[in-house]
C-alpha cells in the first residue's frame, strides 16, 4: 500500500513537469464544442463512459477501474466484465471517472494543467468544502437562517461542480478528436501548443495494478 501511494505521489509530481497543454482550456471548452458540453451537462455519466472507451482506443481489454489510479483498481473483476464495471464506475463514482480519464490523457500526451484550470478546479473543491461545513454548522446550531444560507451555498456548489465536469469532459473530447483526426471544421491551435508524439497505442500508463 505504501509503495502504491508513493507511486501516485511520484506521478503527480511528474505531471508538474509536463510541457504540452490542452487544445482548449476549461474557460473555452463550451465554445469549442457547445453541443457536446450540453450533452455532458445533462448526461454526464453516459459521456464519461463514451470518453473512457475512446481513451482506451475502444479496446476494453485494457480497462481497469478508475484507470488504475485508485486503490480499488484491478480488484473489481474488470477483466471478466469490463463494460459492466465501467458503467458502474461512471454512475457510482462519476467524479473519479472524469478525473481518471483526465489523468489518462495527461499521462499519454504529457499534458499539464494550466494555472487557470487549476484555479477553476480548486474553486470547485473549495465551494464543496464550504457547503459541507455550512451544512454541518447549520445542523448543529439548528438556526433556520443559517440552514437557508447552507442550502444556497450547496446549490451553488452543485451548479459549479456539474458545470466544471461538463467543461472538463468537453476538453477531453476535443483532445481525443485531435488524437483521432476528427477535428472537422474546428480551428486548430497554434503549433507550439500541439507537441504530440504520434503513436498507434499509448503507453500503459495507469495500468500497473492488475
Amino acid at each position: 500500500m505504501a509503495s502504491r501511494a508513493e507511486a501516485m505521489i511520484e506521478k503527480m509530481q511528474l505531471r508538474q513537469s509536463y510541457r504540452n497543454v490542452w487544445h482548449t482550456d476549461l474557460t473555452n471548452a463550451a465554445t469549442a464544442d457547445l453541443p457536446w458540453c450540453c450533452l455532458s451537462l445533462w448526461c454526464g455519466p453516459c459521456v464519461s463512459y463514451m470518453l473512457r472507451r475512446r481513451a482506451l482506443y475502444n479496446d476494453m481489454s485494457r480497462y481497469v477501474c478508475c484507470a488504475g489510479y485508485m486503490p480499488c483498481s484491478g480488484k473489481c473483476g474488470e477483466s471478466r466484465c469490463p463494460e459492466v464495471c465501467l458503467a458502474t464506475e461512471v454512475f457510482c463514482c462519476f467524479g473519479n471517472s472524469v478525473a481518471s480519464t483526465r489523468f489518462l490523457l495527461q499521462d499519454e500526451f504529457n499534458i499539464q494543467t494550466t494555472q487557470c484550470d487549476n484555479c477553476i478546479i480548486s474553486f470547485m473543491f473549495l465551494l464543496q468544502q464550504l457547503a459541507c461545513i455550512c451544512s454541518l454548522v447549520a445542523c448543529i446550531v439548528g438556526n433556520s437562517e443559517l440552514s437557508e444560507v447552507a442550502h444556497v451555498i450547496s446549490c451553488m456548489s452543485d451548479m459549479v461542480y456539474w458545470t466544471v465536469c461538463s467543461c472538463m469532459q468537453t476538453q477531453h473530447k476535443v483532445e481525443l478528436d485531435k488524437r483521432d483526426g476528427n477535428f472537422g471544421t474546428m480551428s486548430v491551435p497554434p503549433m507550439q501548443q500541439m507537441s504530440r508524439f504520434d503513436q498507434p497505442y499509448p503507453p500503459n500508463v495507469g495500468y500497473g495494478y492488475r
Side-chain angles (χ1 to χ4, degrees):
M1 184 63 70
S3 60
R4 178 177 296 181
E6 291 174 358
M8 291 294 99
I9 294 174
E10 289 179 3
K11 180 62 70 174
M12 292 175 63
Q13 293 174 342
L14 179 61
R15 291 193 189 105
Q16 297 177 1
S17 65
Y18 290 167
R19 290 293 176 262
N20 294 324
V21 296
W22 297 98
H23 286 278
T24 180
D25 57 21
L26 290 178
T27 58
N28 296 312
T31 56
D33 197 330
L34 182 59
W36 187 267
C37 192
C38 293
L39 178 63
S40 301
L41 182 62
W42 295 109
C43 194
C46 298
V47 169
S48 184
Y49 185 97
M50 291 186 288
L51 289 176
R52 181 66 64 77
R53 281 190 63 102
R54 282 190 64 186
L56 296 174
Y57 294 80
N58 293 314
D59 180 7
M60 290 302 289
S61 66
R62 299 167 60 86
Y63 171 75
V64 177
C65 180
C66 294
Y69 297 107
M70 299 296 167
C72 63
S73 301
K75 303 177 182 178
C76 303
E78 301 96 321
S79 59
R80 293 192 299 272
C81 198
E83 289 81 6
V84 173
C85 288
L86 178 55
T88 303
E89 176 191 331
V90 299
F91 279 99
C92 297
C93 307
F94 173 70
N96 282 341
S97 73
V98 175
S100 297
T101 300
R102 184 178 187 82
F103 296 151
L104 198 62
L105 293 175
Q106 284 187 285
D107 291 339
E108 177 180 349
F109 295 121
N110 294 336
I111 300 174
Q112 61 176 290
T113 299
T114 63
Q115 291 185 355
C116 181
D117 284 4
N118 275 330
C119 287
I120 293 173
I121 296 170
S122 298
F123 175 72
M124 176 186 70
F125 287 137
L126 179 63
L127 203 55
Q128 288 177 327
Q129 296 299 319
L130 180 61
C132 180
I133 293 172
C134 289
S135 297
L136 288 174
V137 173
C139 182
I140 294 172
V141 175
N143 185 292
S144 59
E145 293 182 355
L146 187 58
S147 296
E148 287 295 326
V149 172
H151 179 69
V152 170
I153 295 177
S154 181
C155 289
M156 291 175 57
S157 173
D158 290 341
M159 290 176 60
V160 171
Y161 172 78
W162 286 106
T163 301
V164 171
C165 283
S166 63
C167 290
M168 196 175 290
Q169 297 213 87
T170 304
Q171 189 180 51
H172 302 167
K173 192 258 186 183
V174 171
E175 197 69 29
L176 288 169
D177 282 347
K178 172 60 180 68
R179 184 196 72 180
D180 299 336
N182 297 330
F183 254 114
T185 59
M186 195 179 302
S187 59
V188 179
M191 288 300 295
Q192 63 268 24
Q193 297 184 7
M194 294 175 58
S195 176
R196 297 290 189 273
F197 295 98
D198 293 331
Q199 50 187 353
Y201 271 82
N204 290 320
V205 291
Y207 294 92
Y209 307 127
R210 278 196 180 275

